[in-house]
């Protein structure tokens, strides 16, 4: 465990310097006792009422980059004295996978002791919620005055002085094309596929978002087709956040939305928009839920990683990215369902035939007996070597605490020691795995018994499939790579 230690004193007075030294000694002893490593000490000489503490902000930044595993503090008040900081710590604990431990035992996320942290988080959440409500009221006022308050304008529009204006580029034509093609009977997915293959920039790309993708999706087309801004109406407050701590949004009832008719120039006529809404509703009534086939959620494209889609006209599966976006995204990777079933059943029969060989079983049994004693001797030797290295790590901490070595020298020594410990642990785990598989006969018979029951089935069922197979990947030429849930013996 790499530990980030946060130490804070309020002033630089002489008595506070003694407190600073005392806190550091506490952490040296605590970390040495646990056998953990020191990543860095973050020390602030400042009041805890402000979150703008240089070292604390550096600690948060390093935590977001996963530079360490644990934050150590003497007590919670050294870290959390305002709402913003409380939420940053909460996010580190719950979302970033960084543990928090205070030496007064009020918080220890390693053991699940977080009740005091929850109390602080609750208090600061109320304060943040009140602030959020005030901001929402301000936005409501802007909406009532006919000003666009969204972070990004609808595709095809731009914002000038709080008002929506039609962009002077190709995007308004794309909006009209989407509405026209949908009314002509094209599906949302087919429209999205054509736009992608033609290289038309997506709404996210036009908005300049950092994570913008180049693929158009069914959901993107639906958002455009259902957006009332395109008829010239300013409709705001359609969704809102669930809470101040969540980015998830929920729909707002129409009667609570802010709607101003003819607030800006339309791209789509009301007649066209209403016709599209009617088509959306009609098509929704007749869309059946997609049928799950035998290899759904098991079969994946080996090149792009997308799940394979079943196509009845091919009697098999094709790459989902190819099916959704066309050949620009990937190739078909076609594979027949019957071929997959036959391949799996043949694998099972072949494996049972091979593990039934008496010569193979005797050979494995002899090998198992000859390695048991050697493995245990090696493990004992490794344990002694690991104890020496752990003691060496404690000495490094003492040398650092006494100022005999610098932090850079400590980090170099710890890195080399941890590397040796990791190598020894890997060797030990390999030996333990060998010893756990000592009873070769029992292991093979168990595998054989498990496989034999499947030979009585003429058809590969979903239950059998998921018990046998973890994942199947299909190469471009249609060759399957089957990842079974059991380890197949290697047979000469």
């Amino acid at each position: 465990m790499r530990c980030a230690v946060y130490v804070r004193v309020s002033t630089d007075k002489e008595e506070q310097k003694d407190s600073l030294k005392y806190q550091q000694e506490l952490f040296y002893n605590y970390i040495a006792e646990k056998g953990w490593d020191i990543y860095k000490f973050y020390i602030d000489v400042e009041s805890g009422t402000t979150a703008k503490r240089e070292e604390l902000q550096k600690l948060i930044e390093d935590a977001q980059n996963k530079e360490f595993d644990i934050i150590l503090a003497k007590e919670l008040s050294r870290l959390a004295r305002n709402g913003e900081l409380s939420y940053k710590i909460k996010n580190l604990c719950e979302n970033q996978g960084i543990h928090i431990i205070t030496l007064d035992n009020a918080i220890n996320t390693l053991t699940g002791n977080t009740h005091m942290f929850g109390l602080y988080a609750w208090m600061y959440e109320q304060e943040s919620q009140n602030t959020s409500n005030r901001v929402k009221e301000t936005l409501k006022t802007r909406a009532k005055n006919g000003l666009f308050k969204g972070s990004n304008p609808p595709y095809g529009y731009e914002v000038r002085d709080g008002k929506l204006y039609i962009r002077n580029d190709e995007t308004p034509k794309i909006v009209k094309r989407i509405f026209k093609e949908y009314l002509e009977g094209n599906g949302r997915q087919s429209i999205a596929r054509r736009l992608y293959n033609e290289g038309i920039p997506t709404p996210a790309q036009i908005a300049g978002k950092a994570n913008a993708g180049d693929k158009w999706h069914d959901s993107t087309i639906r958002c455009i087709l259902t957006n009332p801004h395109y008829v010239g109406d300013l409709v705001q407050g359609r969704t809102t956040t669930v809470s101040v701590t969540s980015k998830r949004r929920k729909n707002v009832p129409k009667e609570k939305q802010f709607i101003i008719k003819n607030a800006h120039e339309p791209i789509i006529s009301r007649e066209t928009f209403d016709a599209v809404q009617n088509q959306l509703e009609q098509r929704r009534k007749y869309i059946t839920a997609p049928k799950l086939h035998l290899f759904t959620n098991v079969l994946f494209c080996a090149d792009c990683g997308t799940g394979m889609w079943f196509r009845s006209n091919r009697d098999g599966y094709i790459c989902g990215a190819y099916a959704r976006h066309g050949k620009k995204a990937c190739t078909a990777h076609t594979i027949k369902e019957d071929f997959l079933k036959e391949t799996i059943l043949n694998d099972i029969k072949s494996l049972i035939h091979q593990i039934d060989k008496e010569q193979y079983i005797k050979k494995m049994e002899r090998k198992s007996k000859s390695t048991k004693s050697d493995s245990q001797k090696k493990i004992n030797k490794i344990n002694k070597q690991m104890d020496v290295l752990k003691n060496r790590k404690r000495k490094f901490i003492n040398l650092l605490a006494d100022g005999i070595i610098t932090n850079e020298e400590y980090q170099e020594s710890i890195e080399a020691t941890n590397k040796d410990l990791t190598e020894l642990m890997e060797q030990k785990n390999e030996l333990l795995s060998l010893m756990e598989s000592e009873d070769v006969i029992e292991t093979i018979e168990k595998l054989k018994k498990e496989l034999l029951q499947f030979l009585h089935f003429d058809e590969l069922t979903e239950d059998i499939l998921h018990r046998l197979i973890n994942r199947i990947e299909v190469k471009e030429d249609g060759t399957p790579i089957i990842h079974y849930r059991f380890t197949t013996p290697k047979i000469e």
Side-chain angles (χ1 to χ4, degrees), residues 204-219:
Q205 288 177 314
I206 294 296
K209 293 184 178 180
N211 60 345
D214 63 343
K215 292 183 176 66
W216 285 78
H217 296 280
D218 172 282
S219 57

Side-chain angles (χ1 to χ4, degrees), residues 177-196:
R177 170 183 167 179
I178 290 171
F179 275 83
K180 179 176 181 292
E181 290 187 3
Y182 189 79
L183 284 179
E184 289 174 350
N186 291 279
R188 299 194 300 265
Q189 186 56 61
S190 63
I191 295 172
R193 182 165 50 246
R194 277 195 293 273
L195 293 175
Y196 167 65

Side-chain angles (χ1 to χ4, degrees), residues 193 196-197 214-215 300-309 314 318-334 474-478:
R193 182 165 50 246
Y196 167 65
N197 282 285
D214 63 343
K215 292 183 176 66
F300 298 88
C301 173
D303 291 317
C304 71
T306 307
M308 304 285 282
W309 289 14
R314 296 175 182 254
I318 61 173
C319 169
Y322 172 80
R324 182 184 291 273
H325 302 294
K327 61 183 179 181
K328 183 180 176 182
C330 198
T331 55
H333 290 67
T334 306
V474 181
K475 297 167 68 175
E476 187 173 7
D477 61 1

Side-chain angles (χ1 to χ4, degrees), residues 47-293:
S47 170
T49 57
T50 175
K52 295 180 180 179
R53 291 172 254 161
E54 184 177 344
E55 285 294 288
L56 182 60
Q57 293 302 319
K58 177 61 177 172
L59 178 145
I60 291 172
E61 179 183 339
D62 289 345
Q64 290 169 340
N65 294 328
K66 301 287 288 182
E67 298 289 347
F68 47 77
D69 308 300
I70 294 177
I71 296 174
L72 291 176
K74 184 172 178 287
E75 56 193 24
L76 188 59
S77 62
R78 302 289 170 178
L79 287 169
R81 281 193 178 274
N82 64 65
E84 179 186 0
L85 179 57
S86 176
Y87 280 111
K88 284 186 177 180
I89 295 173
K90 183 180 180 183
N91 287 336
L92 290 174
C93 177
E94 295 180 353
N95 301 329
Q96 301 298 329
I98 304 296
H99 288 286
I100 302 173
I101 297 177
T102 59
L103 298 192
D104 62 356
N105 296 318
I107 292 177
N108 188 332
T109 59
L110 278 174
T111 61
N113 182 12
T114 60
H115 59 283
M116 288 298 293
F117 181 79
L119 177 61
Y120 275 84
W122 178 82
M123 291 190 301
Y124 298 136
E125 183 173 334
Q126 301 311 303
E127 180 182 342
S128 296
Q129 189 66 61
N130 290 335
T131 301
S132 175
N133 291 339
R134 289 194 293 271
V135 171
K136 286 181 178 180
E137 286 302 318
T138 301
L139 294 176
K140 286 180 181 178
T141 301
R142 286 176 56 84
K144 290 177 181 177
N145 293 332
L147 299 175
F148 181 78
K149 65 181 183 65
S151 55
N152 292 303
Y155 184 77
Y157 283 104
E158 61 182 355
V159 179
R160 298 199 301 267
D161 300 324
K163 297 282 188 178
L164 289 178
Y165 292 91
I166 296 177
R167 291 174 65 97
N168 186 25
D169 57 18
E170 293 297 310
T171 55
K173 294 180 181 178
I174 297 300
V175 172
K176 292 179 180 179
R177 170 183 167 179
I178 290 171
F179 275 83
K180 179 176 181 292
E181 290 187 3
Y182 189 79
L183 284 179
E184 289 174 350
N186 291 279
R188 299 194 300 265
Q189 186 56 61
S190 63
I191 295 172
R193 182 165 50 246
R194 277 195 293 273
L195 293 175
Y196 167 65
N197 282 285
E198 291 175 21
I200 305 298
T202 64
Q205 288 177 314
I206 294 296
K209 293 184 178 180
N211 60 345
D214 63 343
K215 292 183 176 66
W216 285 78
H217 296 280
D218 172 282
S219 57
T220 309
I221 301 300
R222 179 172 178 80
C223 283
I224 289 175
L225 292 174
T226 58
N227 193 334
H229 284 106
Y230 292 119
V231 297
D233 295 344
L234 186 67
V235 182
Q236 299 186 99
R238 290 191 291 169
T239 63
T240 186
T241 53
V242 175
S243 71
V244 71
T245 59
S246 174
K247 292 183 179 181
R248 191 166 62 87
R249 303 185 70 83
K250 62 180 180 180
N251 293 325
V252 174
K254 192 170 183 179
E255 60 272 15
K256 293 185 178 181
Q257 297 174 13
F258 299 99
I259 304 174
I260 299 177
K261 296 282 187 179
N262 303 314
H264 52 266
E265 186 180 355
I267 293 178
I268 301 298
S269 69
R270 291 187 184 276
E271 293 76 18
T272 298
F273 186 81
D274 291 341
V276 165
Q277 305 318 300
N278 181 59
Q279 277 290 309
L280 284 167
E281 179 63 22
Q282 291 299 318
R283 295 192 197 184
R284 185 186 66 80
K285 292 180 180 179
Y286 298 103
I287 293 178
T288 57
K291 182 181 178 182
L292 295 179
H293 287 266

